[in-house]
Amino acid sequence: MAQTIHHRSEGAQAAAGGLVVFAAVMLIITGVMDLFRGIMGIAEDDIFVRTPNYTFQYDVTGWGWFHLILGAVAILVGLSLFRAPLWARIIGIAIAGMLIITNFLSLPYYPVWSVICIALYAFVIWALCVVKRDTMTG
């Protein structure tokens, strides 16, 4: 059976590694931001603005716990991405996708913060998806 060997330049391999490091750092930073958002939601609901006519109504304390847990998982996955294993990239994409959804649902409470987090998580997903499997070890 013939095996195809792909030769990548050192520059392409460095760029691929840089994208994974970028995604890891962004996942850690935005995970910390969501961790703080979770703490704010748990802290007696006094920090969040009330929006009476929002389609998705939920208990902000419960939502705070959700953000806290997802933020902690994002930090752990981000730390594991420095070694760039495939499983961490897959979980990183999944966590970033879930956090985009949670930030979308939080738009009326903190619109600027939510949009910033959505943009950062979109960059994380892009960086983890663009890396070719054969350019990384793990």
Side-chain angles (χ1 to χ4, degrees):
M1 176 189 244
Q3 183 178 6
T4 304
I5 298 173
H6 297 282
H7 296 285
R8 300 230 188 253
S9 68
E10 289 182 25
Q13 289 178 350
L19 286 174
V20 173
V21 170
F22 167 79
V25 170
M26 287 296 105
L27 202 56
I28 292 168
I29 290 171
T30 52
V32 169
M33 290 169 56
D34 273 312
L35 210 112
F36 288 144
R37 177 184 278 175
I39 292 169
M40 290 183 334
I42 295 168
E44 301 296 322
D45 302 338
D46 293 335
I47 298 173
F48 282 84
V49 176
R50 300 282 182 195
T51 55
N53 296 324
Y54 184 46
T55 304
F56 303 105
Q57 293 190 0
Y58 44 81
D59 179 34
V60 179
T61 303
W63 201 241
W65 280 106
F66 194 69
H67 273 281
L68 185 77
I69 292 167
L70 282 179
V73 171
I75 292 168
L76 292 174
V77 171
L79 290 171
S80 69
L81 276 171
F82 285 110
R83 300 197 74 203
L86 179 62
W87 67 266
R89 294 193 324 246
I90 292 169
I91 293 173
I93 292 167
I95 291 294
M98 284 191 281
L99 284 165
I100 284 176
I101 293 168
T102 59
N103 282 292
F104 174 76
L105 294 174
S106 299
L107 274 169
Y109 297 102
Y110 271 100
V112 175
W113 191 339
S114 294
V115 168
I116 290 170
C117 286
I118 288 169
L120 289 174
Y121 284 126
F123 281 123
V124 167
I125 290 171
W126 172 78
L128 292 177
C129 286
V130 78
V131 175
K132 301 269 189 270
R133 179 181 281 186
D134 58 348
T135 59
M136 300 302 301
T137 59

